[in-house]
Amino acid sequence: MNLHSIWPLGLIGVLVVSVSHVSGHGDPAARIFTDPAHDALVIDLAPMDLPANTPHHAIAQPPVATLEIPVTGYIYGFRAEVVDSAGRVLPDELIHHFNLIDPDHRELFLPISRRLLAAGHETGAIRLPWLLFGLPLKRGEHVVASAMVENLTPVAYRQARVRLVMDFTPAGRPWPLFAASPWQMDVAFPVGDKSFALPPGRSSRSYEGSPAVPGKIVGLGGHMHDHGQLIEFTDATTGQVIYRAAPAADSAGHIASVPVSRLYGWSGIGLHVVPSHRYRVTVYYDNPTGQPIPDGGMGVVGGLFVPDRAREWPAADPRDSLYQKDYRHYMRLEGGHGMPMAGQSMPMPMHMKMGAH
C-alpha cells in the first residue's frame, strides 16, 4: 500500500483539531496540523503562484517556515506534493525538493541540525511498517520546513502550496517496536549548497565521516541529478559496500527514481555502524554535453537509523560553529541560494530550546 491509496486528493474536508504556528518564525501562512481521521501530521508551506514555463530560479519560492510540533507521536511514512488552491494534487514535476529539519538535535555524522525528511519528485511515497518503526516527535519540539519548486509545464497555477503529508501514530499505543531516526550523508557536506558544478565527462565526488552514536541502519536511499550513473555508501574502514544504486530514467532520459534498500527481514534488523569506523558516500556522473553544468551535480544518501538500546539521539549544540553556519544557510540568511524568496527568514535564536529523545 502507498500514500496514494491512503489519502484523498488534497485532503479536502480534513477535520483539523490541532494547528500550531511559531509566531515570527518564517511565514505565518505556513501551518502544521493533525488529521486524526487519517492518522496524519500535515505541513503546508505558504501559498505561491507558479507561472507557466518558469524554472526554479525565476519563481518566488515559499519562505522557510519554523513550526512547533503540536502533538507527541511517531512518523512512519510521508509524501511531498504540490496542491492547488482547491486542494487538488498537481503534477509531481512541480516540486524539485522538500526538506524538513530538526534544529533541536544533531545529525548522525555531523554536529549540524538533524535532517528529518528529504524528498524530490522522484522519491514518491515512503512508508515504513508502522508496527516496527517510527520517528519519535515530541510536542513543543521544532521543525524547519522548506522547498524548491519549478513549473516547466505550459499551465500556470495560482496560490499553490507545497504539502508534506506524514503518516502518524499518536503516543500511547503499544507500537512502533523501534524508535528510529533519519540520517543522511551528502557528498557536499559539511555545510552550504548541496548542488555543485558538474564537469564534462566522467566524474565522482565523495565525503566520509563517523556516526555520533552506534546503532543499526535499517533502510536507505539516494538522490542525484540528471547524468548520475551510480551512488553508493560504504564502510571505508572495512571496504564493505552497504548500498549501491543506479537511477531509473524516464523516456526523455531524466532521472525518474533511485532505488530504496530495506535492511530488515525475518533474519534480522539492520546493519550495525559504529563511531570507530569511517563511512563514505560517493556519487558518479557522466556528463555528455562537453560543457560544465552549473549546479548540475548532487549526491546524498539517507535513511533510517535505530540507535543501540539505552542510547538517546544526541541534542544539537547551537554554539558549535558548524551548527551556526549550517543554520544560517538552511534558513536562507546567507550564501548562494540565488533565488527570490516570498518572505523573510528569522534570525538565529540565541537561546534555542534543546531536547533529546
Side-chain angles (χ1 to χ4, degrees):
M1 181 180 294
N2 59 40
L3 291 184
H4 284 300
S5 64
I6 298 175
W7 301 108
L9 294 183
L11 297 177
I12 299 173
V14 164
L15 175 61
V16 177
V17 299
S18 180
V19 179
S20 177
H21 301 286
V22 178
S23 179
H25 290 189
D27 188 84
R31 59 198 183 193
I32 181 170
F33 57 91
T34 58
D35 172 14
H38 299 91
D39 283 338
L41 184 65
V42 182
I43 291 175
D44 279 349
L45 295 185
M48 67 209 150
D49 292 335
L50 300 177
N53 302 308
T54 307
H56 64 80
H57 61 265
I59 290 179
Q61 299 293 330
V64 179
T66 301
L67 300 161
E68 188 173 299
I69 300 298
V71 64
T72 298
Y74 298 85
I75 295 170
Y76 63 92
F78 68 92
R79 177 175 177 80
E81 58 194 16
V82 181
V83 298
D84 66 14
S85 57
R88 293 181 291 262
V89 177
L90 300 177
D92 287 344
E93 63 196 89
L94 297 177
I95 186 165
H96 182 271
H97 65 257
F98 188 106
N99 289 319
L100 190 66
I101 294 175
D102 168 12
D104 296 344
H105 300 86
R106 61 159 285 165
E107 260 293 316
L108 182 61
F109 287 95
L110 279 175
I112 62 175
S113 297
R114 179 170 59 160
R115 272 56 178 173
L116 293 179
L117 304 173
H121 67 83
E122 80 280 9
T123 305
I126 300 296
R127 196 164 190 259
L128 295 168
W130 55 268
L131 182 62
L132 288 177
F133 305 115
L135 163 62
L137 295 177
K138 291 183 180 179
R139 180 178 180 178
E141 292 180 340
H142 304 97
V143 290
V144 177
S146 64
M148 180 188 292
V149 294
E150 61 184 0
N151 185 11
L152 303 181
T153 76
V155 180
Y157 301 99
R158 288 185 53 80
Q159 296 298 288
R161 285 183 182 267
V162 179
R163 170 171 288 173
L164 182 69
V165 181
M166 295 169 281
D167 296 306
F168 187 75
T169 300
R173 297 182 182 179
W175 59 84
L177 300 179
F178 300 97
S181 290
W183 65 277
Q184 71 168 233
M185 182 180 280
D186 198 300
V187 299
F189 268 179
V191 296
D193 284 336
K194 297 304 182 283
S195 58
F196 53 88
L198 186 64
R202 295 182 178 179
S203 63
S204 65
R205 187 161 174 165
S206 299
Y207 179 85
E208 65 178 59
S210 298
V213 293
K216 292 183 176 181
I217 293 174
V218 297
L220 71 166
H223 173 78
M224 65 185 84
H225 284 177
D226 286 346
H227 310 304
Q229 302 295 299
L230 190 71
I231 190 165
E232 63 181 14
F233 178 67
T234 62
D235 183 333
T237 301
T238 65
Q240 178 187 9
V241 176
I242 298 172
Y243 170 77
R244 176 181 287 147
D250 61 20
S251 58
H254 301 299
I255 289 180
S257 64
V258 179
V260 172
S261 179
R262 293 173 173 82
L263 305 178
Y264 55 88
W266 293 111
S267 60
I269 292 180
L271 187 144
H272 201 244
V273 298
V274 293
S276 60
H277 284 209
R278 302 281 291 178
Y279 299 87
R280 180 186 302 125
V281 57
T282 305
V283 66
Y284 300 88
Y285 279 90
D286 189 357
N287 172 10
T289 67
Q291 300 292 329
I293 302 176
D295 298 324
M298 182 175 283
V300 58
V301 293
L304 207 60
F305 178 83
V306 176
D308 284 353
R309 291 190 181 276
R311 300 301 294 264
E312 292 187 341
W313 196 272
D317 179 4
R319 299 166 298 181
D320 184 273
S321 60
L322 275 181
Y323 179 95
Q324 293 177 7
K325 185 175 181 180
D326 175 62
Y327 182 92
R328 294 188 64 82
H329 181 81
Y330 68 69
M331 293 301 297
R332 298 173 182 164
L333 297 175
E334 64 179 25
H337 296 285
M339 68 184 76
M341 295 297 148
Q344 298 295 321
S345 299
M346 70 173 182
M348 175 74 177
M350 297 304 295
H351 300 286
M352 181 177 293
K353 177 183 177 183
M354 290 291 108
H357 297 308

